[in-house]
Amino acid sequence: MPDRGGGPTGPRIRVGRPSRRVRTLLLTLGVLAVLAMLFVMFAGFWTDWLWYRSVHYSSVFTTTLWTKIGLFAVFGLLMALAVGFNIWLAHRLRPPLSAMSLEQQNLDRYRMGIAPYKTWVLVAVSAIVGLIAGASASGQWRTWLLYANGVKFGEKDPQFHKDVSFFAFDLPWYRFLLSFGFAAAVLSLIAAALVHYLYGGLRITSPGSRATGAATGHLSVLLGIFVALKAVAYWLDRYGLAVKESDFKATDSWTGLRYVDANAYLPAKTILFCIAVICAGLFFATLWRRTWQLPVIGFGLMVLSAVLIGGLYPAIVQKFQVQPNEQAKEAPYIQKNIEATRKAYGIDDAEVKDYAGQGTGGDKTKLRAAAESAASYRLLDPNIISPTFQQLEQKRKYYQFPATLDVDRYDGQDTVVGLRELNIKGIPKHNWINDHFTYTHGYGVITAKGTSTDANGSPNFTESGLPTRGDQKTYQQRIYYGEKTEQYSIVGGPQKELDYEANGEKTTSFKGKGGVDLSNPVNRAAYALTFGEPQILYSGAIGKGSKILYNRTPKERVEAVAPWLTIDGDAYPAVIDGRIQWIVDAYTTTNGYPYASRTTLGDTTADSLTDGQREVVAQQNKVNYIRNSVKATVDAYDGTVDLYEWDTEDPVLKTWKKAFPGTVKSKDEISDSLMEHLRYPQDLFKVQRELLTRYHVTNPTQFYSGSDAWQVPNDPTTTRGDSAVPPYYLSMKMPGQTEQKFSLTTTFTPSGRPNLGAFMAVDADAASKDYGKIRLLRVTKDVDGPEQVQNKLNSLNKVATFVRDLKGADSSIAYGNMLTVPLEGGMLYIEPVYAQGRNAYPLLKRVGVSYNGKTKFENTLGEALDAVFDQTKAPDAPSEEPPGGDSSRPGSTNPSVQQALDDAQKAYEEGQKALQAEGGPDWSAYEQAQKDLKAALDRADKAQKAADAQQDQKPEGGSDGQQDQKPEEKGRSEES
């Protein structure tokens, strides 16, 4: 055998095919790997479907899914066909290659490399652009559903006289189609040009003709389609002027036509449309003329026209016609903007009245009596007292309250409400079972009177404590769904849940209809992948009846079942028919209302409470139309979500109801017990008040000058100097009303000034016939604004002494909400003041009151009102002593009264010792001390009343010394 070269020689080892067993194993492993990847992709889809089915909104999932799939398929296929067809056509129109130039010789190697794979390249390029276009189009599902289901507004814009639905629903879809057409034309043009160049239809450096006739015709048609689309764009731009946003002196966010738009841009767009149509025709004509001379000239003229007619001419009109007399020229368009904006935001029916703001003086006794009935003054500030609820009613470390509590009404009484929700961080020992199986829910609603506190300044709780074995409440107290409940829980199976610990540990098992069943191993595997927790797949704690709860905050659930709604930032709880229900306000919005100025919801709804205490509206949408069209409820026990139609006239809601039939219940299905707790939403109110700072003015000349513009004042009770004062719920009477109405209120100051400009209140009681009625009092005299009142209050000697004493006791001052109430032609300001020790919680200690420039700072609201209206002589300095007094102060000559006061002092001291106990506050001892304190004060009050009665029966001059003591004892009682 001849030598075949260097290297080792010897017998060859023949490598045979793998055995059948090995091939079967490899094939099996490959199939399993593919199935595993498919299941990973499928898991998210499957868990979403299971969740929507569990809340009975599967139609939302399927409608959204099929709409996205349909858009993806249609527009992906159209883009793939458009680009693929033009690539195929360019290849088909390639010239014969003969006597190739150097340029073509250089390209020949690329042609030879592609030749075996031409079909695959065509399919791959078409598929890629199709997938990209389809994915982009699927994101337009909301635009398509609005267009396909659009309902008429019954209102026409003042310029084009088209129904508002054309701008809100139709125009966005037309613009999407136009942008898709542009993308298809440009991509087809680029692809066709590259193919023509590759196969010699276009030449760059070769001598002679730069393009073959076939390439010229093909590319000209594509350019003609592009220019024709530009003509359509010019035509749609005419309508776009009605919803165009621009800078304008009259307002920060102007929307709609101005003088230059109507008299320069509008005719310019029409002229450019005609020029573009002619230019497109010239490009199409190259199919016969085979020359680009005329199309290029036409295209150049179109570009020049766009510069001169579309840019230079409007600038000339603005400079030489509008600016010399802008106010007169713009007045008709300002009027249209005012009317449209007021209608779009629901403020067109706002009632504006002049109001002096300074009382006439008059009978101080009558003023004092009028102050009693003017409002139910909510001294318990839900923004301050959360730590008080936390320390008095938390009961266990694994419970918590929100940083800002809620205000509701029970039995006609303004009530502060908080839920004892689960605090996962407070669990004694963290492990997977504890975090997700044992500690699963909160327990109980805690309520307190909003208008009063107990003798120590703590809330007067009307619902408190954990139940004992025989003290079950009349409602379902377990809270599986809440604002603070963000982790998933697995309930209902063999693993028991901790219910609460009162008199011994109590367990429970979830029996609600909510949650997704985990008995199915496929479901368990899907959730193990979705949550990245393999123990869900094999844990013995999961068995028959086990369910997984997630998406547990009220806003998350409502957003998921109604993704077309914008959600209010403040869900609030109420006990309704034996269940805790979260009430969520939801809005329908659009940014296509012609002439209405736009606002950004997230910015507009921010105030001094949105920094870590309260969230703003869920989406940061920029809108120019908003309606509180839906009231939603979420059951705190089983998570049931119900959507109720609220605004029955809203065309946007009607459109979405057509798109998602059966998801929104009729307004008639709202029960009377639920209606009692529905209220006017804060975020809508804040949007409206922001608009009313400018749009309370209806005269275009005055609007343009800005002479009567207002601003929302900064919150004077916070150290953040640029944070807007939050609105307040308050039962009060507006001038002319005979009874108190549950209202949402706010104040305004003139732009750039601190004095009071206006007061705004809206009837917030959903059961009232005047619900949603906006009333504005325009203050006509120079009246102190909130910040000025706060400054006067802070400058009082009593306040300085109070603050100094607090600092000496290692405590701090906290100002509560400053309430503003119209009273007999003037404005009454009331501000609760809290004291808070380093390791204690806020307690109401003083009340500041101001009326007609007179400011007082006293122990109680009654004393402060008396002082402001000169009904009693207030003490020279406020006392910070405990309610029972101490040995350094004069005692009572009545032995019963003195004994009761001594007992009160002892109970107070015991309470303070309990708060400062080693190892943390002893809340059981503190609660007992508070009960003893209250009982002692009650005894003192009864004994003093008996002594007073005896004193009244004695003849004049027959005092036994009790008369001299009476003011002191009365002062003690009132201080308590």
Side-chain angles (χ1 to χ4, degrees):
M1 181 180 292
D3 188 2
R4 296 182 181 274
T9 61
R12 292 187 178 183
I13 300 175
R14 184 171 180 176
V15 180
R17 296 177 62 192
S19 67
R20 178 177 294 180
R21 180 178 296 177
V22 173
R23 293 200 307 270
T24 303
L25 177 62
L26 291 175
L27 180 61
T28 302
L29 291 175
V31 170
L32 290 176
V34 172
L35 289 176
M37 288 190 295
L38 290 176
F39 188 78
V40 170
M41 298 169 59
F42 173 76
F45 165 83
W46 182 242
T47 54
D48 285 346
W49 161 250
L50 291 173
W51 187 87
Y52 275 97
R53 191 175 63 176
S54 73
V55 294
H56 308 293
Y57 282 90
S58 55
S59 63
V60 175
F61 179 80
T62 54
T63 299
T64 305
L65 177 65
W66 285 114
T67 302
K68 290 180 178 179
I69 291 175
L71 292 172
F72 178 89
V74 170
F75 288 94
L77 183 61
L78 287 175
M79 182 65 77
L81 289 175
V83 175
F85 172 76
N86 281 283
I87 291 174
W88 173 84
L89 184 60
H91 180 264
R92 182 72 180 270
L93 298 176
R94 67 190 184 281
L97 296 175
S98 59
M100 289 189 295
S101 64
L102 180 61
E103 180 182 16
Q104 290 302 312
Q105 291 177 12
N106 292 331
L107 292 173
D108 191 47
R109 55 180 174 175
Y110 296 108
R111 288 193 291 268
M112 293 178 64
I114 292 174
Y117 311 106
K118 286 189 293 187
T119 302
W120 288 110
V121 170
L122 174 63
V123 171
V125 172
S126 301
I128 290 172
V129 296
L131 289 172
I132 295 173
S136 176
S138 66
Q140 298 293 323
W141 64 271
R142 289 181 177 87
T143 307
W144 163 251
L145 288 176
L146 286 172
Y147 171 76
N149 300 280
V151 172
K152 299 291 185 183
F153 274 68
E155 304 167 14
K156 294 186 177 181
D157 80 286
Q159 180 67 42
F160 303 101
H161 307 293
K162 284 186 169 292
D163 190 89
V164 172
S165 62
F166 171 80
F167 301 93
F169 305 145
D170 299 346
L171 190 57
W173 179 249
Y174 296 152
R175 282 177 163 168
F176 165 70
L177 292 179
L178 187 63
S179 64
F180 178 83
F182 274 123
V186 170
L187 289 175
S188 297
L189 182 63
I190 293 172
L194 288 174
V195 173
H196 281 299
Y197 176 68
L198 183 62
Y199 287 95
L202 290 178
R203 301 180 181 88
I204 297 176
T205 60
S206 300
S209 177
R210 299 294 185 185
T212 63
T216 299
H218 184 194
L219 297 179
S220 294
V221 169
L222 292 175
L223 286 170
I225 292 173
F226 179 86
V227 175
L229 291 171
K230 187 62 180 174
V232 176
Y234 282 133
W235 188 257
L236 289 181
D237 285 346
R238 298 168 67 255
Y239 300 110
L241 293 172
V243 290
K244 184 191 73 170
E245 193 172 0
S246 61
D247 295 329
F248 186 33
K249 176 182 177 181
T251 180
D252 295 334
S253 179
W254 175 273
T255 301
L257 286 85
R258 292 159 51 191
Y259 180 89
V260 69
D261 296 315
N263 295 277
Y265 281 112
L266 187 57
K269 297 292 184 184
T270 305
I271 294 171
L272 289 172
F273 163 75
C274 297
I275 294 174
V277 169
I278 295 172
C279 186
L282 292 175
F283 274 107
F284 292 138
T286 56
L287 285 172
W288 297 276
R289 294 180 56 86
R290 300 294 183 179
T291 176
W292 280 353
Q293 184 176 4
L294 285 178
V296 170
I297 293 173
F299 187 78
L301 290 175
M302 187 181 77
V303 173
L304 182 62
S305 300
V307 174
L308 296 178
I309 301 175
L312 184 59
Y313 173 63
I316 293 172
V317 171
Q318 178 68 25
K319 180 70 175 178
F320 295 102
Q321 291 189 32
V322 178
Q323 287 186 6
N325 192 18
E326 188 174 53
Q327 180 174 302
K329 293 287 187 182
E330 301 288 10
Y333 304 96
I334 294 175
Q335 187 66 51
K336 294 174 183 178
N337 176 267
I338 292 172
E339 292 174 358
T341 301
R342 287 170 61 87
K343 185 175 293 185
Y345 290 95
I347 58 177
D348 50 326
D349 292 331
E351 181 184 276
V352 183
K353 291 183 177 180
D354 288 340
Y355 186 76
Q358 290 182 353
T360 57
D363 189 333
K364 296 292 183 66
T365 303
K366 290 183 177 179
L367 281 174
R368 177 65 180 85
E372 287 291 334
S373 60
S376 296
Y377 305 103
R378 180 166 48 76
L379 301 179
L380 208 61
D381 187 351
N383 313 311
I384 297 291
I385 62 164
S386 179
T388 307
F389 272 53
Q390 190 79 8
Q391 293 200 34
L392 296 182
E393 288 298 328
Q394 179 187 17
K395 303 302 181 185
R396 299 292 180 267
K397 285 186 177 181
Y398 49 82
Y399 291 136
Q400 65 177 328
F401 291 92
T404 299
L405 303 178
D406 290 292
V407 177
D408 203 348
R409 295 147 294 149
Y410 289 91
D411 299 324
Q413 165 77 41
D414 287 3
T415 303
V416 177
V417 182
L419 295 195
R420 194 186 287 114
E421 293 191 46
L422 178 67
N423 178 16
I424 198 71
K425 295 179 181 178
I427 294 176
K429 183 178 180 180
H430 285 280
N431 54 57
W432 189 63
I433 294 295
N434 276 350
D435 290 354
H436 299 288
F437 290 81
T438 305
Y439 295 89
T440 59
H441 60 278
Y443 205 98
V445 176
I446 311 302
T447 60
K449 293 180 180 179
T451 55
S452 64
T453 61
D454 68 11
N456 196 41
S458 296
N460 272 328
F461 290 110
T462 55
E463 180 79 17
S464 62
L466 286 168
T468 60
R469 298 285 184 183
D471 182 31
Q472 293 297 329
K473 309 293 183 178
T474 57
Y475 64 94
Q476 174 56 262
Q477 297 181 83
R478 297 171 184 87
I479 302 163
Y480 284 89
Y481 296 87
E483 290 182 300
K484 300 296 182 180
T485 314
E486 297 177 349
Q487 78 285 352
Y488 72 88
S489 290
I490 299 175
V491 298
Q495 181 72 33
K496 293 295 184 182
E497 310 161 42
L498 178 66
D499 205 18
Y500 60 85
E501 293 177 290
N503 298 327
E505 183 176 296
K506 180 178 175 62
T507 60
T508 188
S509 186
F510 179 77
K511 297 180 176 62
K513 59 184 178 181
V516 179
D517 182 39
L518 288 182
S519 300
N520 187 328
V522 176
N523 293 357
R524 294 175 65 173
Y527 279 103
L529 283 171
T530 300
F531 289 109
E533 182 49 70
Q535 292 187 78
I536 294 177
L537 183 60
Y538 56 77
S539 173
I542 302 175
K544 184 178 181 180
S546 292
K547 294 181 176 182
I548 185 168
L549 311 180
Y550 63 105
N551 286 350
R552 297 172 71 181
T553 68
K555 287 196 295 182
E556 278 181 318
R557 296 182 77 78
V558 176
E559 280 183 305
V561 303
W564 36 273
L565 290 173
T566 299
I567 311 302
D568 189 271
D570 183 28
Y572 60 97
V575 178
I576 301 166
D577 298 329
R579 310 281 287 197
I580 302 172
Q581 298 281 353
W582 289 99
I583 300 175
V584 183
D585 286 287
Y587 310 106
T588 46
T589 62
T590 180
N591 64 355
Y593 197 99
Y595 272 103
S597 290
R598 291 187 174 94
T599 187
T600 303
L601 292 182
D603 296 339
T604 308
T605 57
D607 59 30
S608 63
L609 302 181
T610 58
D611 184 15
Q613 283 187 282
R614 180 184 178 274
E615 295 183 21
V616 297
V617 69
Q619 290 96 339
Q620 297 284 327
N621 294 355
K622 198 163 192 177
V623 306
N624 67 352
Y625 171 94
I626 185 169
R627 290 290 185 272
N628 177 212
S629 54
V630 172
K631 301 283 189 180
T633 61
V634 177
D635 191 292
Y637 181 70
D638 62 21
T640 299
V641 181
D642 289 311
L643 307 176
Y644 296 97
E645 180 182 28
W646 185 248
D647 189 336
T648 58
E649 302 299 323
D650 178 30
V652 182
L653 177 60
K654 291 178 181 178
T655 297
W656 285 120
K657 286 178 66 178
K658 283 181 63 180
F660 295 96
T663 56
V664 182
K665 296 182 178 180
S666 168
K667 187 176 183 179
D668 297 335
E669 296 186 54
I670 298 177
S671 66
D672 293 340
S673 53
L674 173 58
M675 186 69 76
E676 291 177 2
H677 296 279
L678 298 182
R679 68 190 191 190
Y680 201 81
Q682 289 190 59
D683 282 342
L684 176 61
F685 181 83
K686 287 190 282 188
V687 170
Q688 291 175 325
R689 77 170 179 178
E690 183 64 31
L691 269 295
L692 281 168
T693 59
R694 295 299 302 266
Y695 286 93
H696 68 278
V697 176
T698 56
N699 181 283
T701 301
Q702 189 179 13
F703 185 92
Y704 177 85
S705 67
S707 59
D708 193 26
W710 300 334
Q711 65 185 20
V712 179
N714 293 328
D715 189 350
T717 67
T718 181
T719 56
R720 293 170 57 197
D722 59 347
S723 53
V725 62
Y728 298 116
Y729 289 105
L730 185 68
S731 292
M732 55 160 290
K733 290 191 297 188
M734 288 288 280
Q737 291 182 332
T738 58
E739 60 182 16
Q740 294 180 12
K741 298 286 188 180
F742 186 67
S743 304
L744 192 51
T745 67
T746 192
T747 54
F748 297 99
T749 58
S751 182
R753 296 194 59 199
N755 57 291
L756 189 64
F759 177 81
M760 174 181 173
V762 61
D763 193 331
D765 185 355
S768 170
K769 62 182 178 62
D770 289 331
Y771 171 83
K773 177 68 175 179
I774 297 175
R775 294 179 173 87
L776 283 165
L777 300 179
R778 190 201 314 263
V779 177
T780 58
K781 293 187 177 181
D782 190 9
V783 180
D784 288 341
E787 292 179 280
Q788 291 175 310
V789 171
Q790 187 70 52
N791 290 336
K792 286 186 176 181
L793 181 66
N794 291 342
S795 66
L796 294 178
N797 290 331
K798 285 187 177 182
V799 176
T801 302
F802 180 67
V803 173
R804 184 178 63 248
D805 291 345
L806 285 179
K807 290 182 178 179
D810 201 17
S811 298
S812 60
I813 190 171
Y815 292 105
N817 40 231
M818 181 178 287
L819 306 178
T820 309
V821 178
L823 177 65
E824 300 297 319
M827 283 293 180
L828 179 65
Y829 291 96
I830 294 178
E831 183 174 31
V833 180
Y834 295 79
Q836 182 172 7
R838 174 177 294 181
N839 298 317
Y841 48 83
L843 296 172
L844 179 64
K845 289 299 183 183
R846 300 288 187 271
V847 180
V849 174
S850 180
Y851 185 79
N852 273 11
K854 187 176 182 180
T855 305
K856 294 294 180 181
F857 183 70
E858 303 296 339
N859 295 333
T860 67
L861 174 60
E863 290 179 8
L865 290 173
D866 287 343
V868 163
F869 296 114
D870 300 327
Q871 298 303 295
T872 60
K873 186 177 185 303
D876 292 337
S879 172
E880 198 197 348
E881 301 300 332
D886 66 16
S887 59
S888 66
R889 295 180 61 181
S892 172
T893 58
N894 186 313
S896 299
V897 174
Q898 185 59 51
Q899 181 61 49
L901 292 177
D902 291 343
D903 291 344
Q905 175 66 22
K906 182 179 178 181
Y908 176 81
E909 291 173 353
E910 291 295 330
Q912 295 304 304
K913 289 179 180 179
L915 289 177
Q916 300 171 8
E918 293 185 7
D922 184 346
W923 296 114
S924 298
Y926 180 79
E927 286 188 48
Q928 184 59 48
Q930 293 301 300
K931 292 178 181 178
D932 295 342
L933 174 63
K934 187 177 187 304
L937 291 173
D938 288 343
R939 295 203 319 272
D941 185 55
K942 290 180 181 179
Q944 184 61 51
K945 287 180 179 177
D948 291 344
Q950 291 180 354
Q951 182 67 29
D952 292 341
Q953 293 175 359
K954 290 187 177 184
E956 187 174 352
S959 172
D960 59 357
Q962 299 256 1
Q963 183 67 30
D964 293 338
Q965 193 64 32
K966 183 176 178 181
E968 173 66 20
E969 298 297 332
K970 182 178 180 182
R972 287 175 182 269
S973 178
E974 288 183 354
E975 180 182 358
S976 302

